[in-house]
Amino acid sequence: MTDQVQATITEWLRVVTTRDWDALPALLTDDVTYHNPAQAEPLRGTDALVGTLRLVFGIFEDFEYTRRFGGDEGHALEFRGRVADAPFTGIDLLRFDGAGRIVDLVVMIRPIGAVMKLGEEVARRMSHKQ
């Protein structure tokens, strides 16, 4: 792991756990790709990723990272939390460019019941914004 990647992971963990979303774009490439559990097609760009994380982290409760795995192809960060009364576990799969910025994020969450509750709450909050 390069020093740049290590610094990005350390800052990612800080940003997510403190909800410092304004600091997140500095960790991302402009055309970052974000694969989330609720959509088949990925979202692209920093605005889409930051906006989505702001929304879902307003719903998550008791979120914490529990383990980290790394290799030449990228890194995995395991996490757990709740959506209302539905506990979940998941992983963030991160890939980096040569400067250590995130180019690709894949988020997987289980079980399906927690994903469905998250999707319902996102839809409810989005409908209230319009």
Side-chain angles (χ1 to χ4, degrees), residues 14-86:
R14 186 199 69 77
V15 165
V16 171
T17 56
T18 64
R19 314 297 198 265
D20 185 7
W21 306 122
D22 292 336
L24 186 55
L27 305 178
L28 311 171
T29 60
D30 291 339
D31 60 346
V32 64
T33 303
Y34 172 47
H35 308 263
N36 70 63
Q39 295 177 289
E41 293 298 315
L43 302 174
R44 298 192 192 284
T46 57
D47 290 345
L49 175 53
V50 173
T52 302
L53 292 184
R54 278 183 197 271
L55 178 62
V56 298
F57 274 88
I59 299 168
F60 288 165
E61 298 175 42
D62 301 328
F63 183 90
E64 66 178 342
Y65 282 105
T66 55
R67 293 193 292 172
R68 294 170 37 169
F69 305 91
D72 293 339
E73 295 295 314
H75 293 271
L77 305 173
E78 183 180 33
F79 57 81
R80 66 180 169 207
R82 288 184 303 110
V83 175
D85 62 345

Side-chain angles (χ1 to χ4, degrees), residues 110-127:
R110 63 173 300 280
I112 191 67
V115 175
M116 291 174 68
K117 278 193 174 195
L118 177 60
E120 290 166 3
E121 184 60 20
V122 166
R124 187 186 72 75
R125 291 183 185 202
M126 296 291 288
S127 70

